Amino acid sequence: MPISGNYSGRYRPQIHFSPPENFMNDPNGLFLDGHGTYHMYYQYNPSGLVAGDQHWGHATSKDLYHWTNQPIAIFPPNNDSQVFSGSAVIDTNNTSGFFPNQTNGVVAIYTLNTPAAQVQEIAYSHDGGYTFTRFAGNPVINSTSTQFRDPKVIWHEDRWVMAIAYAQDYTIGIFTSSDLKTWTHASNFTRPGLPGEQYECPNLLKMPVHGSTESMYLLLISINPGAPLGGSITQYFPGAFNGTHFVPVDDVTRYTDFAKDNYAGQFFYGIPESDHPVSIAWASNWQYAQDAPTADEGWRSAMSLPRRNFLANITDAGWDLVSLPHDLSPVVGEQLAARSNLLNDTLVADYSSVASNAIYFEVHVAGVAGANGAATLNFTASSPISGESLSGGYFFAGNNSFFLNRGGVHGFDDAFFTTNFNTTSLLRADGTWSLSGLIDRSLIEVFVDRGAHSATATFFATQPLTLFALSTAELPEDASVSVKVYALKSTWSENAKTTVVENVEE
């Protein structure tokens, strides 16, 4: 039976996925089945509000926003082990031999963590990924190391390919298999990049190149701890892959997110090659994930928005991973405010009556080439009750800096909860720039310059933010700024209400 949860808490995201209760971290085993159902497994402790007793939780969706909480999918075999991160594939051709009479058999590949070692196991499902049977011949890759984990498996031409982390050796191993049961080491990838203190959760996949029919390969490596802002972060390398070896195009260090709450992202298996690859990440940071105040509501951690991704040659760094929200139409509600040209003016949208307490906004700017140093765009989401605010802005001249500031909300006091984030976002040659963002009770995601830069940040206000304002100043007279703000519909309940604090309805 599907599992229910209380999604009415003040901090409970209404658009982003969060577990029914207790603690969640990395997304695992993401795949799209032949019936159009997305499956998301995730690192889950069903018995506590911190990491520890790791299982694979499970949820399903038809649109990546409206999720059904399914029963736990994979349990550890004993009290001394935990089921760590991994991936899942559909064994259409029955290469494993587990599925002689079906083409939709699912195989999960994961790390079994024990006091002695981290080994790689598989489990198979005859019912489309709802229940699993552990392979009697486990482990499929043995080990004496306690730092060897997070297998991500793809199909490449005529074989299965696994990318896996030798965590404290700063190395990604590449293994190949014909049957998912017997694996052969093919190569290792070690780059300077940002080593941090350990590598985790690699992804290796083919990625389309914007504006062409070509594609490249992308290797993503999560790092924790050791991020520039502290804690966890994900870096990526564009390059080429021949089935056994990955070769990057350069040594540039690139990050998937310029804020602090986007980690261990994974791409869905089974997305048609004609579509953009789709990913979901864990929207938190190991520096404070186990201390977040959502524990008062009986849960901790949420996932990022589902994102569609592609590569584009935009900045001086060369290839950039562009990420944008997956089709938001299932959750977009009424338009709250709009201006066709917000030139040196302010737009205000009151969303206190929006049941979800979630909004989406988008801005398109043109004609700003040559803007002076005072030309800016700023936005705030604030609480008229407490005076708290979340803010961001962009400077159209100088260093073309975009910033995001969560320091104006006061519901969480933690030394590692960094408040300010920024990135450089150069104007396009045609003098255009864009911004979109989604604010969801305790999560904000922004997508700068059509997704060339993105940021994910949690925030915890003592009162709900209900007033959105966006303004521009000192723009050239021939510039144009179109703005739209939309209410978002709760994916858990159309009647989801925020809570009452100090006898004031939020």
Side-chain angles (χ1 to χ4, degrees):
M1 292 289 292
I3 299 173
S4 62
N6 181 358
Y7 283 83
S8 64
R10 179 170 80 246
Y11 295 136
R12 268 286 194 182
Q14 299 297 292
I15 313 304
H16 297 78
F17 177 82
S18 58
E21 59 183 1
N22 294 314
F23 186 85
M24 174 186 76
N25 53 290
D26 310 352
N28 293 160
L30 307 185
F31 77 93
L32 172 63
D33 71 21
H35 301 289
T37 298
Y38 295 91
H39 292 253
M40 177 170 63
Y41 307 92
Y42 52 87
Q43 286 291 283
Y44 185 51
N45 180 0
S47 57
L49 287 160
V50 296
D53 185 18
Q54 300 303 95
H55 295 57
W56 270 27
H58 184 205
T60 55
S61 174
K62 286 291 188 179
D63 61 12
L64 292 168
Y65 294 102
H66 295 84
W67 292 95
T68 299
N69 286 310
Q70 303 291 350
I72 292 171
I74 302 179
F75 294 76
N78 53 57
N79 293 333
D80 292 330
S81 61
Q82 302 86 37
V83 182
F84 273 16
S85 287
S87 52
V89 299
I90 303 173
D91 189 10
T92 305
N93 297 317
N94 190 29
T95 63
S96 63
F98 296 140
F99 315 106
N101 300 311
Q102 62 184 110
T103 58
N104 64 341
V106 178
V107 177
I109 310 97
Y110 55 88
T111 299
L112 186 71
N113 182 65
T114 73
Q118 292 182 340
V119 299
Q120 313 318 310
E121 293 198 347
I122 61 176
Y124 54 93
S125 172
H126 289 107
D127 62 3
Y130 294 89
T131 62
F132 285 86
T133 301
R134 293 178 65 237
F135 174 45
N138 280 329
V140 294
I141 304 180
N142 209 346
S143 168
T144 58
S145 170
T146 58
Q147 301 293 328
F148 177 54
R149 58 182 174 271
D150 309 335
K152 180 65 171 80
V153 173
I154 61 172
W155 179 258
H156 183 272
E157 295 183 357
D158 60 352
R159 71 191 77 176
W160 299 104
V161 172
M162 175 194 295
I164 189 168
Y166 296 91
Q168 294 185 352
D169 293 328
Y170 312 119
T171 296
I172 301 301
I174 295 176
F175 288 72
T176 62
S177 175
S178 62
D179 62 4
L180 295 167
K181 295 183 287 190
T182 301
W183 292 89
T184 301
H185 178 261
S187 65
N188 286 335
F189 173 84
T190 302
R191 303 299 299 183
L194 178 71
E197 291 191 23
Q198 57 186 6
Y199 281 179
E200 295 185 316
C201 301
N203 278 239
L204 176 65
L205 75 156
K206 185 184 289 188
M207 187 66 61
V209 173
H210 182 65
S212 78
T213 58
E214 299 180 356
S215 61
M216 301 175 68
Y217 271 82
L218 193 70
L219 178 63
L220 301 96
I221 304 171
S222 292
I223 298 162
N224 176 67
L229 294 174
S232 38
I233 199 169
T234 301
Q235 66 179 339
Y236 66 92
F237 300 88
F241 180 64
N242 65 2
T244 56
H245 293 71
F246 176 80
V247 179
V249 296
D250 54 36
D251 293 333
V252 174
T253 301
R254 301 170 173 88
Y255 303 120
T256 58
D257 200 274
F258 68 88
K260 202 167 175 176
D261 294 320
N262 189 293
Y263 187 65
Q266 188 174 112
F267 286 80
F268 279 84
Y269 183 90
I271 301 295
E273 284 202 10
S274 57
D275 296 343
H276 287 144
V278 177
S279 63
I280 289 179
W282 179 47
S284 195
N285 188 299
W286 278 117
Q287 282 193 319
Y288 44 77
Q290 300 180 104
D291 300 310
T294 60
D296 294 339
E297 298 175 7
W299 63 280
R300 273 200 175 119
S301 296
M303 295 301 183
S304 74
L305 291 173
R307 297 186 182 184
R308 57 185 180 90
N309 304 267
F310 55 88
L311 283 167
N313 201 335
I314 299 173
T315 68
D316 292 341
W319 295 105
D320 292 288
L321 178 62
V322 177
S323 293
L324 289 164
H326 187 266
D327 177 20
L328 284 165
S329 61
V331 296
V332 172
E334 66 175 315
Q335 188 176 93
L336 299 175
R339 290 280 291 275
S340 60
N341 193 6
L342 187 74
L343 183 62
N344 302 325
D345 202 353
T346 300
L347 172 146
V348 176
D350 182 340
Y351 62 104
S352 58
S353 63
V354 175
S356 68
N357 190 223
I359 60 170
Y360 171 75
F361 64 93
E362 55 185 28
V363 185
H364 299 281
V365 183
V368 288
N372 67 49
T376 58
L377 177 148
N378 289 276
F379 70 87
T380 60
S382 61
S383 166
I385 299 172
S386 66
E388 294 168 285
S389 65
L390 182 72
S391 61
Y394 180 64
F395 295 88
F396 287 96
N399 293 327
N400 294 126
S401 294
F402 178 89
F403 72 90
L404 182 65
N405 178 12
R406 63 182 177 184
V409 296
H410 310 305
F412 182 45
D413 183 17
D414 188 281
F416 299 109
F417 199 64
T418 310
T419 57
N420 291 282
F421 313 101
N422 66 83
T423 190
T424 297
S425 175
L426 300 177
L427 290 174
R428 300 286 177 115
D430 60 2
T432 62
W433 184 81
S434 70
L435 169 68
S436 61
L438 193 149
I439 302 173
D440 186 12
R441 295 199 182 185
S442 60
L443 256 173
I444 180 171
E445 295 193 51
V446 292
F447 302 88
V448 182
D449 189 22
R450 288 163 267 189
H453 311 274
S454 57
T456 310
T458 54
F459 65 92
F460 305 102
T462 63
Q463 297 283 342
L465 309 183
T466 59
L467 192 67
F468 180 79
L470 189 145
S471 62
T472 62
E474 301 293 331
L475 294 183
E477 290 185 0
D478 57 349
S480 64
V481 183
S482 66
V483 183
K484 296 178 181 178
V485 183
Y486 296 91
L488 295 175
K489 297 177 288 186
S490 170
T491 60
W492 296 107
S493 170
E494 293 300 325
N495 298 312
K497 298 290 184 181
T498 48
T499 57
V500 174
V501 176
E502 297 178 351
N503 296 319
V504 179
E505 186 168 352
E506 302 171 5

